[in-house]
Amino acid sequence: MSRIRARFWDPTGQRYGIPTYPWKMAPPHLLTLRQLAAEGLRPAGQGVQAQVLWRSRRYGAPGLRAAYLYDVRFALPKRTASPRQLAALGKANAARRTCPECLRDVGYVLPRHLGTCLDCAHPAAA
């Protein structure tokens, strides 16, 4: 193991406070939020179980970077919206697309700074 990887190897959490692993060396049951979401799971209220640390040479944000890990064994399936919630969301989105002046659904969310559709805001351009 290289010096840099050995620097971040702390599976007991004595040095960093929580178990810490180098890049690509975490146990397979620990996943990031994105990895959980890709499998259709959510953390289900569990706290961060471990972290992955690595040095970044990214332009504009150099230094130490971290990715937080959650235990897949405690994860639950993602929640799905009920039909009632979906209907309410559809109505809210329709209201955001309806112009208050010409009263038509313009097919896009109205710009808040105009408050109307583009045709009503700029009648000379139409």
Side-chain angles (χ1 to χ4, degrees):
M1 187 180 310
S2 70
R3 274 190 332 218
I4 292 173
R5 287 184 177 235
R7 175 181 168 198
F8 300 134
W9 182 258
D10 182 25
T12 60
Q14 290 179 346
R15 190 177 335 154
Y16 294 103
I18 61 173
T20 304
Y21 301 96
W23 180 256
K24 293 190 176 184
M25 293 188 71
H29 68 277
L30 296 175
L31 301 176
T32 64
L33 281 176
R34 285 189 181 191
Q35 291 169 329
L36 283 175
E39 293 189 15
L41 299 171
R42 61 186 170 95
Q46 67 174 304
V48 174
Q49 301 294 320
Q51 66 183 351
V52 171
L53 292 179
W54 71 97
R55 288 195 49 82
S56 173
R57 288 175 282 191
R58 175 189 245 181
Y59 180 77
L64 197 61
R65 303 212 36 212
Y68 299 113
L69 304 174
Y70 301 88
D71 198 330
V72 72
R73 297 173 293 191
F74 302 125
L76 295 177
K78 280 186 174 180
R79 295 183 183 137
T80 57
S82 69
R84 186 175 180 179
Q85 290 171 326
L86 289 174
L89 182 62
K91 288 179 184 177
N93 285 336
R96 294 175 62 201
R97 293 190 313 257
T98 304
C99 178
E101 292 199 16
C102 62
L103 299 176
R104 63 185 173 105
D105 187 343
V106 292
Y108 55 87
V109 175
L110 300 174
R112 289 179 59 196
H113 71 280
L114 296 176
T116 63
C117 66
L118 299 177
D119 294 335
C120 293
H122 305 292

